[in-house]
């Protein structure tokens, strides 16, 4: 699964620098797969879809900080617990019940995100 930020977020920003995958962005901020990862150039998702890792993607929220699910590994392979949840003063970094991934899938995602580092 991934972590999501709920609308109880107070926009303090404590979570953003804690993410080892740079998956957390400020409200309204564009994001890129290349931000904080080893992904460069054209990336292949293995399902026939490709994307330029340096290409800006639209913000997922204009109101609160948000987590890009495709970059979230719940800190697996880096820490014992999701660091965003550990530092959030209002406990709004929670499991995203719509996105379920095993530990093995999260480790594979971590390896994919940091492949060229």
């Amino acid at each position: 699964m991934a972590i999501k930020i709920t609308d109880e977020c107070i926009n303090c920003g404590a979570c953003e620098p804690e993410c080892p995958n740079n998956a957390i962005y400020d409200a309204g901020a564009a994001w890129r797969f290349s931000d904080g990862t080893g992904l460069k150039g054209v990336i292949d998702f293995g399902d026939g879809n490709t994307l330029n890792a340096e290409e800006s993607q639209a913000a997922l929220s204009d109101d609160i900080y948000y987590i890009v699910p495709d970059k979230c590994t719940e800190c697996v392979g880096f820490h014992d617990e999701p660091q965003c949840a550990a530092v959030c003063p209002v406990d709004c970094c929670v499991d995203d019940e719509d996105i379920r991934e095993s530990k093995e899938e999260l480790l594979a995602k971590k390896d994919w995100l940091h492949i060229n580092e």
Side-chain angles (χ1 to χ4, degrees), residues 20-21 36-39 78 109-117:
N21 302 313
T37 71
L39 298 175
F78 294 103
K109 185 192 296 186
K110 172 199 173 275
D111 291 344
W112 177 73
L113 288 169
H114 297 281
I115 193 164
N116 295 316
E117 294 181 334

Side-chain angles (χ1 to χ4, degrees), residues 1 3 35 46 96:
M1 70 197 106
I3 304 295
D35 294 339
D96 186 337

Side-chain angles (χ1 to χ4, degrees), residues 94-112:
V94 300
D95 290 342
D96 186 337
E97 61 279 350
D98 294 330
I99 302 174
R100 298 289 180 204
E101 295 167 296
S102 68
K103 183 174 182 177
E104 292 76 24
E105 289 170 318
L106 293 168
L107 282 170
K109 185 192 296 186
K110 172 199 173 275
D111 291 344
W112 177 73

Side-chain angles (χ1 to χ4, degrees), residues 41-101:
V42 175
I43 52 176
D44 186 344
F45 293 94
D47 60 1
N49 291 315
T50 60
L51 183 74
N52 184 330
E54 286 91 11
E55 184 177 307
S56 288
Q57 305 297 314
L60 301 183
S61 173
D62 290 325
D63 302 317
I64 57 173
Y65 275 80
Y66 65 90
I67 298 174
V68 176
D70 287 335
K71 292 179 72 177
C72 179
T73 62
E74 297 180 43
C75 295
V76 169
F78 294 103
H79 304 286
D80 292 334
E81 65 181 340
Q83 295 301 286
C84 56
V87 301
C88 181
V90 293
D91 297 326
C92 68
C93 297
V94 300
D95 290 342
D96 186 337
E97 61 279 350
D98 294 330
I99 302 174
R100 298 289 180 204
E101 295 167 296

